[in-house]
Every structure is written in C-alpha cells, then in structure tokens.
Amino acid sequence: MASSTTTGLNGNISYAGGSSLGSVHWNGATSGLDIDALVKAQLTIDGLPMQVLQNRNTTLQTKLSSLSSIKTSLYTLRSAVKDLTYQSTFLARKATTSNDKVVTAESQNNAVNGTYSINVGDLATTTSNASSALGLSTGTFAILTGDDISALDPAHPNTALNLSGAFTVNGKAIAVKTTDTLNTILNQISASAAGVKATLSGSTIVLTQKTAGATPTITLGGDSALLTKLGLNGKTATAGTDADQTRPMASASVAALKGVTAGYFSINGTFIAIDPSTDSLNSVISKINNSSAGVLAFYDSTTGKINLTSKNAGKSDIILGTAGTDSSNFLSQVGLVQANQKAGENAKVTVNGVSVTADGNKIRLGDGNTFTLNGTGNATVTVGTDIDSIVNKVKAFIDQYNAVIDVVNGKLNEKPNSNSDDASVGNLFGDSTLRDTIYNLRSFVYSVVATQDSTMQILAQAGISDGSLNQSIDATKSGHWTLNETTLRQALQKDPNAVSKLFGNSTAVVKATTDADGNGTNDGVLVGT
C-alpha cells in the first residue's frame, strides 16, 4: 500500500492507496474543521425525514394491529347481543314430563305453553304379515375333530399340562404356558378372534366354527409338536354348508323358491326387482328394507317364515302386490298374501280428558308440541318458556361484554415502556377513541327505553347492572357488568315478551366509535336491532 499527503492553502489532502481505489480525506489546516465529520452529519440530517416516516409507519402499524384486535372483540360482543335481539330466543320452549316411562315431550319455538294431563290406555301396535313356512336349511358349521389325547389325562381338565409353546387357529396366536390346563387352552381358543368354539368331547378336542357356511373353514398352524400333544396336528376341518337363504334362489333345494322367476313384485306400491340367478332370499329382504315400502322384513330361521312389519305403528295396511303386479311370482311362492295380515291398532290416549288421535305413538298438540307415548299410565307434561336457555345467552353476553371492557381498559391504561422490545406496548395509552368506546359501552346500562312499560325500561330491571352498591372501588373501576339471575328469571317468568322487547328495542343503541380498520372512518358497533 502507498500513501501520500499534499499540503494546500487551506488544508491537507491525504491518500491511502493499494490495489483498490483507496480513500481520500480532506482536513482543514487553517480552519480546524473536520470535513469528514461534517459530511457524515449532513448525510444523517438529510436522512432524518425518512427515518421519522419509517418510525411513524411502525407506530401506526402497531396501533392498527391493536385496534383491529379490539374490533374483533367488539364484533364478538355484537354477535352475543344479536342473540338477545332475536324474538326466537324468547320463544324457546321447554317441555317436562312427570313420568317419562309413559310419555316424553319436545317443544318447538313458539309452541303453546300449558299443562297437559295425559292418560295412555294402550300403545299403538304395528301391522304385520308372515309368509308360509319355507323349510329352508339353516346351514351347518365347519368342524375339526382332534385325535385321542388320553395321554394328557383329559379326565382332569383343570390340571396343569406342563406344556409350552404357541400355535395358531385361523391365523390367531394361542400361547401356552407350563401352568396352563386343558380348560385354560380351550377357553383361550374360544375367547380369541379366531371365530372358533373349542370344546372337549370325551378325550378329543373339537373345534367348531362360530359362523355357519361353507366358508370360512378352520386352519391350524405353528408349533407342530405342541399340536401333536393336543391331538390337533395335521387335522383338517369338515366344511360347513351355506344356509338356503344365502344361496341364489335358482340353486336352492327347496320347492318354495324354485318357482320364482326374473321380474318384480310390489309392497305398498313400491316395486322391487328380483333375479333368482343372482338374488338370494337374504338379498331380496335387504332390497325390501332399503326401499321406500315402509316395512321391515326379516327371515325367522326358527319358524322358517318371512315376516313383514310396518315401520310406523297404527291402524294401517301392508298392501301386497297381486298376480298382476307380481311378475316374479315371489310373493305367491313364499306365501305372502293379504289374507295373512294382522292389522295394527291406534293408541288409546286422552289429553285433559279428551280422546285424541295419535300418529302411531306420537301426538302433536299446541302448534309445536310433540308427545311420544312410551307406555300405559298417566303423566303430566308442562310446556313453558325455556328460561334456562335465555339465561345462558344473557350470561354469554355479559361475559363477552366484560371481556371487551378488560381488553379496552388494558390498552387504554397501558403506559409506554421504552425498555420494551414490543412496539405495541403503550401505543394506545390514553387514546381518546378508546375513552369514547368505554364511555359508550358503560353508559348503555343506564339507557332508558321510554317506549317500554315502566317495569321493564332499563337493564337493571332484567337483572343486569354495573355492580352492587357495596362492591369495592376497584370492582367499580373495572366497568364490569353483573347479572342477578334471580331478578332475570322472575322477569322472564312474569313477562318474557317485555324482556325480549327491552333487548331488541331499536331505540337502545350503543356505538363503539373505533377506526379499527384504519380507513379514516369510525366503525360503529350497534347494539340493538
């Protein structure tokens, strides 16, 4: 590196050079001025307006973020208030019964309040029909019979066998310990997920598949030495047979289904297609149950009959197709005919001493009350305003109001802290907009709705106030509202409509004048309708 200094009239120019351009400094000789420092200072001064703007932008952004958070809280409060302005809130009904074994009840909004004395003499019964006995085979179970195990002394099945190892039944592991007895092993097989029941027949173990049919069968694997001692090694199962109701009807061995042809039949006017080459009795029953015929069908393997039952109780017919609407011959082949029908009966019930007609086991009274009959006897049903539901919504409103007050007060009273890295700390301290918000919110509790009856013109008459007379100064300063639940419940019992009008009256308005979105205008939060 090379350097040089040149002396002029008013100062020195010094140069420090190297492989790069080097640097040049001008220092005043006669004036004593540090030119470098002056240039740096000037550059700093020139950059101050930009720095001020950047700082101002940061301040505004943090303030906007804080105001947006408050705005979100205010909108949540508005939603809670809106719940109290809807007339439907105060039209909610609740039905209670003195005996739910006789009757239970539900009430919709605006249902007629009242007390209903209900006597149930008989419940409604369902219409039913049954086919002829079809004589179908129920199917058999796969069975595996072991060899004689007299050497293990099966006469004492609760004696420890002193065997150990593991084997599988249908892929499920069965572990054997030296302390296990023969009964322990059999019980373990039966309780496993193998789907097999294990029993002892004389001196041989017998495994029986729990599900009838040609599949699944029974397979064994694992420790061959252990299986040999149990008489099971190398043994194969005798396969079961499928039940006739699971086979395609064209292949069934019973005469009752051989006459069924491809076509359709109808129940209650609903047509059901059938193909005996692919449909089994079970699949046809499934089609009936999944249709709109309004009946429940099932095959009773004990009686060998197909049973139809109306899904709705009461005196109504199950209309079966005739020869003209049964191109498959299914109904006639299985013996489902109209003459076999056993008609259901309507419920016998009185309400306040008057006989009423039930829809199945339900009665509908008072434009929104539905009573479900569960048994015979007497019960009293009382329908009234659902006060619990209304009180819970008022509580939710007050909780949200207090939460908003805490958020706003927190920012309003939070002093700036120069030592904090968080720019939002104290950014709304003493903010006039927040002061107006607090004032407007707190003043709402004193608002008078002059158009209301004098007994329900202010929130205090509905149990809402800004605290008791004896509460602490700190509690008063908090601005929280409290609820006297007893006062609210009494007001709702006396005149729920008056309370509804108090909350929903459009003359009771509070605005939180917050420019939370930074668009230069105040965002009013309306409380009321």
Side-chain angles (χ1 to χ4, degrees):
M1 176 185 291
S3 62
S4 63
T5 301
T6 302
T7 301
L9 178 62
N10 295 318
N12 300 323
I13 298 176
S14 62
Y15 169 79
S19 58
S20 63
L21 293 177
S23 58
V24 178
H25 302 278
W26 176 276
N27 293 313
T30 58
S31 64
L33 295 177
D34 188 340
I35 302 301
D36 287 344
L38 289 174
V39 171
K40 290 180 180 179
Q42 186 60 48
L43 291 174
T44 300
I45 293 171
D46 291 342
L48 282 177
M50 180 60 71
Q51 185 62 47
V52 170
L53 290 175
Q54 290 175 344
N55 291 342
R56 176 61 176 165
N57 180 63
T58 300
T59 300
L60 291 175
Q61 289 296 328
T62 57
K63 182 176 288 189
L64 176 63
S65 177
S66 296
L67 289 173
S68 294
S69 177
I70 293 173
K71 178 182 179 181
T72 299
S73 297
L74 288 168
Y75 274 122
T76 304
L77 173 61
R78 183 171 69 173
S79 296
V81 174
K82 280 291 185 182
D83 274 347
L84 299 178
T85 66
Y86 298 136
Q87 190 178 16
S88 60
T89 296
F90 297 87
L91 294 178
R93 297 292 184 259
K94 183 178 182 179
T96 56
T97 178
S98 63
N99 190 343
D100 58 9
K101 292 182 179 179
V102 174
V103 62
T104 52
E106 294 180 356
S107 293
Q108 297 177 346
N109 284 359
N110 206 30
V112 177
N113 288 348
T115 300
Y116 303 86
S117 178
I118 298 175
N119 173 265
V120 182
D122 287 307
L123 292 176
T125 58
T126 56
T127 299
S128 62
N129 202 325
S131 72
S132 303
L134 302 180
L136 301 181
S137 167
T138 57
T140 59
F141 302 86
I143 297 177
L144 187 150
T145 303
D147 291 330
D148 184 272
I149 53 171
S150 298
L152 292 179
D153 192 10
H156 297 85
N158 291 318
T159 301
L161 298 177
N162 198 31
L163 298 177
S164 64
F167 61 94
T168 62
V169 179
N170 290 341
K172 305 303 178 183
I174 308 297
V176 178
K177 305 186 297 295
T178 55
T179 56
D180 284 345
T181 66
L182 189 56
N183 275 345
T184 302
I185 298 171
L186 297 179
N187 289 338
Q188 189 178 352
I189 295 172
S190 298
S192 73
V196 169
K197 181 180 180 181
T199 58
L200 186 63
S201 177
S203 58
T204 60
I205 293 176
V206 178
L207 304 181
T208 306
Q209 192 75 34
K210 293 180 180 179
T211 303
T215 57
T217 185
I218 303 172
T219 59
L220 301 173
D223 190 333
S224 59
L226 178 58
L227 288 172
T228 297
K229 291 182 180 179
L230 295 173
L232 298 174
N233 191 39
K235 294 298 177 181
T236 57
T238 301
T241 59
D242 292 327
D244 284 344
Q245 74 252 31
T246 67
R247 301 176 182 177
M249 286 183 287
S251 63
S253 60
V254 294
L257 299 178
K258 282 186 177 179
V260 178
T261 62
Y264 55 84
F265 62 93
S266 68
I267 299 177
N268 288 335
T270 297
F271 288 87
I272 298 165
I274 186 170
D275 181 354
S277 67
T278 56
D279 277 319
S280 65
L281 181 60
N282 280 358
S283 70
V284 173
I285 288 174
S286 179
K287 287 182 179 181
I288 295 173
N289 291 332
N290 292 326
S291 74
S292 58
V295 298
L296 175 66
F298 64 93
Y299 175 72
D300 185 344
S301 59
T302 301
T303 63
K305 295 181 179 182
I306 302 170
N307 292 274
L308 300 180
T309 307
S310 293
K311 291 183 178 179
N312 296 321
K315 198 168 186 176
S316 60
D317 290 331
I318 297 176
I319 307 299
L320 300 175
T322 60
T325 58
D326 183 7
S327 63
S328 67
N329 298 319
F330 175 77
L331 295 177
S332 58
Q333 285 294 302
V334 299
L336 274 171
V337 294
Q338 204 71 43
N340 291 343
Q341 176 174 278
K342 181 184 286 188
E345 296 292 337
N346 292 329
K348 293 180 174 60
V349 57
T350 63
V351 178
N352 295 339
V354 178
S355 179
V356 299
T357 300
D359 179 9
N361 283 311
K362 292 182 182 293
I363 53 177
R364 294 173 174 82
L365 302 171
D367 193 22
N369 296 320
T370 300
F371 303 154
T372 300
L373 310 179
N374 301 318
T376 59
N378 297 289
T380 299
V381 176
T382 303
V383 178
T385 301
D386 189 354
I387 291 177
D388 289 339
S389 172
I390 300 172
V391 169
N392 288 336
K393 289 190 175 184
V394 174
K395 287 180 177 179
F397 156 61
I398 292 176
D399 288 344
Q400 185 57 38
Y401 172 87
N402 290 339
V404 169
I405 289 295
D406 288 342
V407 169
V408 176
N409 272 334
K411 295 303 295 183
L412 186 61
N413 299 319
E414 182 183 63
K415 295 182 179 180
N417 184 353
S418 59
N419 295 322
S420 176
D421 294 331
D422 186 354
S424 67
V425 174
N427 62 342
L428 292 176
F429 175 68
D431 185 87
S432 60
T433 298
L434 295 190
R435 283 200 301 269
D436 290 343
T437 300
I438 288 290
Y439 173 78
N440 286 329
L441 288 175
R442 296 185 66 172
S443 65
F444 184 49
V445 77
Y446 304 111
S447 297
V448 177
V449 184
T451 57
Q452 285 273 97
D453 186 273
S454 61
T455 59
M456 193 57 59
Q457 291 187 339
I458 60 175
L459 289 179
Q461 291 169 316
I464 300 174
S465 67
D466 58 356
S468 64
L469 295 175
N470 298 321
Q471 71 179 4
S472 67
I473 295 177
D474 289 339
T476 302
K477 286 182 177 180
S478 72
H480 283 184
W481 286 358
T482 61
L483 174 64
N484 186 321
E485 191 171 324
T486 300
T487 300
L488 176 59
R489 287 182 178 275
Q490 290 174 346
L492 290 170
Q493 289 170 350
K494 181 180 179 182
D495 192 351
N497 188 50
V499 180
S500 170
K501 289 182 177 180
L502 175 67
F503 284 113
N505 199 294
S506 60
T507 62
V509 174
V510 172
K511 286 187 177 180
T513 52
T514 303
D515 181 19
D517 53 12
N519 63 3
T521 60
N522 290 329
D523 302 303
V525 176
L526 176 65
V527 177
T529 58

Coordinates of all heavy atoms in Angstrom, one line a residue, residues 48-62 423:
L48 N -32.9 12.1 8.1 CA -33.9 12.1 9.3 C -35.3 12.1 8.8 O -36.2 11.4 9.4 CB -33.6 13.4 10.1 CG -32.4 13.3 11.0 CD1 -32.2 14.6 11.8 CD2 -32.6 12.1 12.1
P49 N -35.8 12.8 7.8 CA -37.2 12.8 7.4 C -37.6 11.3 7.1 O -38.7 10.9 7.5 CB -37.3 13.7 6.2 CG -36.1 14.6 6.4 CD -35.0 13.9 7.0
M50 N -36.8 10.6 6.4 CA -37.1 9.2 6.0 C -37.2 8.4 7.3 O -38.2 7.6 7.4 CB -36.1 8.7 5.1 CG -36.4 7.2 4.7 SD -38.0 7.0 3.8 CE -37.5 7.8 2.3
Q51 N -36.3 8.5 8.2 CA -36.4 7.8 9.5 C -37.6 8.1 10.3 O -38.3 7.2 10.9 CB -35.1 8.0 10.3 CG -35.0 7.2 11.6 CD -34.9 5.7 11.2 OE1 -34.1 5.3 10.3 NE2 -35.7 4.9 11.9
V52 N -38.0 9.4 10.3 CA -39.2 9.8 11.0 C -40.4 9.1 10.4 O -41.3 8.6 11.1 CB -39.3 11.3 11.0 CG1 -40.7 11.8 11.5 CG2 -38.2 12.0 11.8
L53 N -40.4 9.1 9.1 CA -41.6 8.5 8.4 C -41.6 7.0 8.7 O -42.7 6.4 8.9 CB -41.5 8.7 6.9 CG -41.7 10.2 6.4 CD1 -41.5 10.3 4.9 CD2 -43.2 10.6 6.8
Q54 N -40.5 6.3 8.7 CA -40.4 4.9 9.0 C -40.9 4.6 10.4 O -41.7 3.7 10.6 CB -39.0 4.4 8.8 CG -38.6 4.3 7.3 CD -37.2 3.9 7.1 OE1 -36.4 3.9 8.0 NE2 -36.8 3.5 5.9
N55 N -40.4 5.4 11.4 CA -40.9 5.3 12.7 C -42.4 5.5 12.9 O -43.1 4.8 13.6 CB -40.1 6.2 13.7 CG -38.6 5.9 13.8 OD1 -38.2 4.7 13.4 ND2 -37.8 6.8 14.2
R56 N -42.8 6.5 12.2 CA -44.3 6.8 12.2 C -45.1 5.7 11.6 O -46.1 5.3 12.2 CB -44.5 8.1 11.4 CG -46.0 8.5 11.3 CD -46.6 8.8 12.7 NE -48.0 9.2 12.5 CZ -48.9 9.2 13.5 NH1 -48.5 8.8 14.7 NH2 -50.1 9.7 13.4
N57 N -44.6 5.1 10.6 CA -45.3 4.0 9.9 C -45.3 2.8 10.9 O -46.4 2.1 11.0 CB -44.6 3.6 8.6 CG -45.2 2.4 7.9 OD1 -46.4 2.5 7.5 ND2 -44.5 1.3 7.8
T58 N -44.2 2.5 11.6 CA -44.2 1.4 12.5 C -45.2 1.6 13.6 O -45.9 0.7 14.1 CB -42.8 1.3 13.1 OG1 -41.8 1.0 12.1 CG2 -42.7 0.1 14.2
T59 N -45.3 2.9 14.1 CA -46.2 3.2 15.2 C -47.6 3.0 14.8 O -48.5 2.5 15.5 CB -46.0 4.7 15.7 OG1 -44.6 4.8 16.1 CG2 -47.0 5.1 16.8
L60 N -47.9 3.5 13.5 CA -49.3 3.4 13.0 C -49.7 1.9 12.8 O -50.8 1.5 13.0 CB -49.4 4.2 11.7 CG -49.4 5.7 11.8 CD1 -49.4 6.4 10.5 CD2 -50.5 6.2 12.7
Q61 N -48.7 1.1 12.3 CA -49.0 -0.3 12.1 C -49.3 -1.0 13.4 O -50.2 -1.8 13.4 CB -47.8 -1.0 11.3 CG -47.6 -0.5 9.9 CD -48.8 -0.9 9.0 OE1 -49.4 -2.0 9.2 NE2 -49.1 -0.1 8.0
T62 N -48.5 -0.8 14.4 CA -48.8 -1.4 15.7 C -50.1 -0.9 16.3 O -50.9 -1.7 16.9 CB -47.6 -1.1 16.7 OG1 -47.5 0.3 16.9 CG2 -46.3 -1.7 16.2
A423 N -43.3 -3.0 20.2 CA -43.7 -1.6 19.9 C -45.2 -1.3 20.2 O -45.6 -0.2 20.2 CB -43.5 -1.4 18.4

